Amino acid sequence: VDEFEIIRRLFVPETKSASVIVGVGDDGAVLRPKPGYDLVTVVDTMVAGVHFPAYLRAEDVGYRSVAVNLSDIAAMGGDPKWMTLALTIHKAESEWLEGFARGLFSAATAHGVELVGGDTTSGSEIVVSVQITGEVAADRIITRSGARAGDAIYVSGTIGDASLGLARLQLPHEDAARSSDDNFLIRRFARPDARIAVGQAIASEATAAIDLSDGLYADLEKLLQASGVGGRIEVNDIPLSAALRAAADSAAVLHLALAGGDDYELCFTAPSAAFDGKSEIAGVPVTRIGQVTAGGQLSCTLAGNEYQYHHSGYRHFSEQ
Amino acid sequence: VDEFEIIRRLFVPETKSASVIVGVGDDGAVLRPKPGYDLVTVVDTMVAGVHFPAYLRAEDVGYRSVAVNLSDIAAMGGDPKWMTLALTIHKAESEWLEGFARGLFSAATAHGVELVGGDTTSGSEIVVSVQITGEVAADRIITRSGARAGDAIYVSGTIGDASLGLARLQLPHEDAARSSDDNFLIRRFARPDARIAVGQAIASEATAAIDLSDGLYADLEKLLQASGVGGRIEVNDIPLSAALRAAADSAAVLHLALAGGDDYELCFTAPSAAFDGKSEIAGVPVTRIGQVTAGGQLSCTLAGNEYQYHHSGYRHFSEQ
């Protein structure tokens, strides 16, 4: 089978919405934005062996490469619409491509995102760059820089699962031998849920938001620095899944909660009156974990006592 | 020096225009489109060793990665505005990155394009994905699919230079030993001029357009197929530079004119009354090379006699 035919069959959508005037197949796509709305645009690249294990299933690679971008759109309060894909692969293996496309479109169509352009090239390793553009009302944009002293700090979902899931995935295994907890944790890494509905629901009251890719402490620190404020979180208030609690001792759990990346939950700030009565937003659990302070540092307490968290200082070689 | 600092210093613009509400540094960029305009969006990936020789100067890699995308915007009649960059490199070598950034911004700022987001990752080879979004009035979009029997076929600039330039670049050499013709041809490969102004100037009268990346014959064939028509071109009418004519015998020149890629000139169709009197458009030479026919094939004549052009059938493993 001709590799171009495989790619055409897998990646050229059969239908397009009214907002897509010209889709895949011309020199470029032509898109019609909603009058009066701003655009929000994000791009994220994943390299096999760097951002995910080379043996991650093709379907999960496709899903995850869309989900991590949707997560950035969620953190801006946006409504995702259009996607472009730049895919570098060693060879057009139809089975791998089919799985990849299935995962990609599964994540995209769940949020109404259409593929409008792409470019497939050959190279020595798998590099997936997805770029997503969405719409956002000008008065509903959430940046990282609006947090104010006195605001409450919240997170969606549960924290730390994905990094333990990645560790599980890296163990030698037989699928059959994995517990349901293991499968839950692995799924949290391989198939992150982008919190689009949460981002939109909080947009008018949240003062700042960031999605959690590098770990709660590191990402919250970025938000606070961008806002020129400090913060304090109570470590015992960080929401943890039963699977995480069951899998690790308390020291390991603390580490995973503060340093574990890849959860793609939202961390956001808002005046405490806005969400304190709510245990969930748009069907997703939301938990208050601390408060924004005027000082310039992020500090932690553990059951009310000061807890010195030592940041490993590791930074991914990756920046938005 | 911290590699993040290098990247921040090189790629985070100091100023932004009014259309960029949030630029690099948040979860995503927020952009304000012009009311009533559609968006045109393109993406193109270049892999070292596949799309350009690994020894191409960093500055030219940066320039070219923007220019090839601008060329797609030009072929749609668009006005380019915002750019995202997904860069995979082996190691953050500051000298290479500085050259790359210089070339990237040189091509971008020449056309008023702003970098609004990016992602730098490490990998085993250089992969550059640039995505550019522009604006276009709904009644000014040029697609590939509007050519009609009887339209004239035009090209901008001169054809075949870039592929000979690439061949020159691949020869062992001392810079000092290159003739000015060689340098002209190499520059045509390394620093293509995106025909943005031409695309906008022809937009209201052109019926179809494509930019020339894979060769005149192959790309014109795509345009005609997308339009459901055929065409005939007179090979002697294809505009050639003096440097190309001087460097090759007539058989080689014919081959370069029909099959040579990477020129990034525009090929377009229009009713013959529209541009036949003009020798240039927006300061760029424009030449009529043939005519659209009702039949489904692209045929060639040489000095009026039928010329059987045998397509090599080689296709890049790359598709828009």
Side-chain angles (χ1 to χ4, degrees), chain B residues 155 233-240 245 287-290 301 303:
Chain B
V155 291
I233 56 177
E234 167 55 48
V235 176
N236 278 346
D237 290 344
I238 300 173
L240 305 173
R245 287 184 192 276
T287 308
R288 177 177 174 151
I289 60 167
T301 57

Side-chain angles (χ1 to χ4, degrees), chain B residues 62-84:
Chain B
Y63 191 96
R64 198 164 179 279
S65 63
V66 173
V68 301
N69 278 286
L70 288 172
S71 180
D72 280 321
I73 296 272
M76 305 292 292
D79 179 20
K81 301 274 287 183
W82 310 293
M83 169 169 83
T84 62

Side-chain angles (χ1 to χ4, degrees), chain A residues 205-237:
Chain A
E205 309 205 73
T207 51
I210 192 169
D211 69 318
L212 298 179
S213 55
D214 293 344
L216 173 59
Y217 189 95
D219 287 326
L220 175 54
E221 201 173 40
K222 282 180 215 158
L223 181 155
L224 297 171
Q225 281 174 1
S227 298
V229 292
R232 191 167 49 243
I233 56 175
E234 166 55 49
V235 176
N236 278 345
D237 290 344

Side-chain angles (χ1 to χ4, degrees), chain B residues 7-26:
Chain B
I7 290 167
R8 188 163 295 121
R9 180 168 55 77
L10 291 174
F11 294 107
V12 178
E14 284 174 17
T15 59
K16 57 192 181 65
S17 74
S19 78
V20 180
I21 312 301
V22 177
V24 180
D26 213 296

